[in-house]
Amino acid sequence: MILDNIKIIRENIKNACEKVGRNPDEVTLIAVSKTKPYTAIQEALPSGILDYGENKVQELSEKYEILPDDIRWHMIGHLQRNKVKYLVGKTTLIHSVDSLRLANQIESEFAKKDQIADILIEVNMADEESKFGVSADETINLIKEISLLPHVHVQGLMTIAPYTDNPETNREYFTKMKKLSVDIREKNIDNVNMDVLSMGMSGDYQVAIEEGATMVRVGTSIFGERNYNI
Ligand SMILES: *Cc1c(COP(=O)(O)O)cnc(C)c1O
């Protein structure tokens, strides 16, 4: 079932790309495996997907120990500063950096092990009170400050769009994210890349791709509904 789901999603990604004249190779599908057992990832591996998203450091670490070394682990959830040290050497990309305090902690923990952290800045584009992320207005200043940290490399932006039954309602946020990333790129800040735009989830990844997403984070449509009560 998981492999069938992935097939369908890849087809949808291809169609969304065709619609706007993009190359599907520009879009990385991250399978969001949070709350699912490591065996679900083992089921997904024959598809060739090597990018997996987790939102808890503990869970990411446990799966990291068990599963093959070539898996690329994406930290997509809110990150507490006291957990940063456990991520060093395990994560390919931290999607959820939204403060200088957190970036400073990443700097010091990664510097200790002589490693570089690739990160994205999480933007709360819809200004939802319930969400983490920096506001669009504050994003450039935050990036300028983080760009001075030698062991932290900004690779782009991430957003979690509002929950909706109609993906079209999120199109405006994806368009604004793309524009923000272009604006930042034009500033040519040292030590900052804007190649990654991580946006789009099960409900809205096709629209996100049409508006320029380079990474989509899909959980439910691959692994099924999550059960948080176990
Ligand atoms: C859970 C989660 C996803 C995946 O959501 P689905 O709707 O299950 O596809 C994507 N991004 C983040 C940050 C998440 O926490």
Side-chain angles (χ1 to χ4, degrees):
M1 195 191 75
I2 287 174
L3 292 176
D4 294 331
N5 292 343
I6 291 170
K7 224 181 197 172
I8 293 167
I9 292 160
R10 282 184 165 147
E11 195 61 29
N12 291 341
I13 290 174
K14 193 166 142 264
N15 290 337
C17 285
E18 267 169 19
K19 205 167 149 188
V20 294
R22 294 186 64 195
N23 180 346
D25 295 343
E26 292 170 17
V27 180
T28 302
L29 172 57
I30 299 173
V32 176
S33 44
K34 66 186 187 195
T35 80
K36 299 291 176 182
Y38 73 88
T39 49
I41 296 177
Q42 287 174 326
E43 257 187 80
L45 282 174
S47 71
I49 294 186
L50 287 175
D51 292 274
Y52 292 85
E54 291 287 337
N55 68 340
K56 294 214 161 68
V57 174
Q58 169 96 27
E59 200 177 328
L60 188 154
S61 301
E62 284 167 11
K63 290 172 182 168
Y64 171 89
E65 294 300 336
I66 298 169
L67 291 163
D69 288 342
D70 53 352
I71 290 183
R72 295 182 287 267
W73 295 100
H74 296 256
M75 178 58 198
I76 62 173
H78 180 63
L79 180 54
Q80 287 167 327
R81 284 182 302 140
N82 61 357
K83 301 277 173 65
V84 170
K85 56 178 176 284
Y86 304 113
L87 278 182
V88 184
K90 294 181 191 156
T91 179
T92 241
L93 187 62
I94 303 172
H95 292 231
S96 45
V97 178
D98 63 357
S99 72
L100 185 59
R101 268 159 60 95
L102 176 57
N104 279 329
Q105 185 76 30
I106 295 172
E107 169 64 30
S108 74
E109 295 297 345
F110 278 68
K112 274 185 209 164
K113 301 263 171 69
D114 208 15
Q115 295 212 16
I116 304 277
D118 285 321
I119 67 152
L120 304 178
I121 304 299
E122 180 174 352
V123 183
N124 184 357
M125 191 44 95
D127 277 326
E128 288 180 285
E129 263 178 42
S130 58
K131 292 251 168 84
F132 294 105
V134 65
S135 74
D137 292 344
E138 294 162 24
T139 303
I140 291 187
N141 278 336
L142 177 60
I143 289 178
K144 280 184 183 157
E145 289 171 323
I146 293 177
S147 73
L148 304 175
L149 306 175
H151 297 85
V152 181
H153 283 179
V154 175
Q155 300 292 352
L157 306 178
M158 177 272 225
T159 197
I160 304 173
Y163 181 79
T164 174
D165 289 330
N166 175 10
E168 283 302 327
T169 59
N170 280 339
R171 188 181 292 276
E172 63 167 311
Y173 303 120
F174 298 140
T175 315
K176 285 181 184 160
M177 284 292 291
K178 174 70 188 185
K179 181 169 182 309
L180 181 60
S181 82
V182 170
D183 289 349
I184 294 169
R185 188 197 298 268
E186 282 172 356
K187 299 224 178 312
N188 276 321
I189 305 165
D190 274 354
N191 195 31
V192 171
N193 282 326
M194 275 293 127
D195 296 335
V196 177
L197 203 45
S198 168
M199 57 187 194
M201 312 185 359
S202 288
D204 54 19
Y205 65 91
Q206 286 124 306
V207 174
I209 288 169
E210 287 170 27
E211 299 305 327
T214 68
M215 284 184 182
V216 291
R217 311 177 307 266
V218 180
T220 309
S221 294
I222 293 177
F223 297 109
E225 294 291 338
R226 287 178 291 273
N227 182 355
Y228 288 100
N229 304 318
I230 44 174

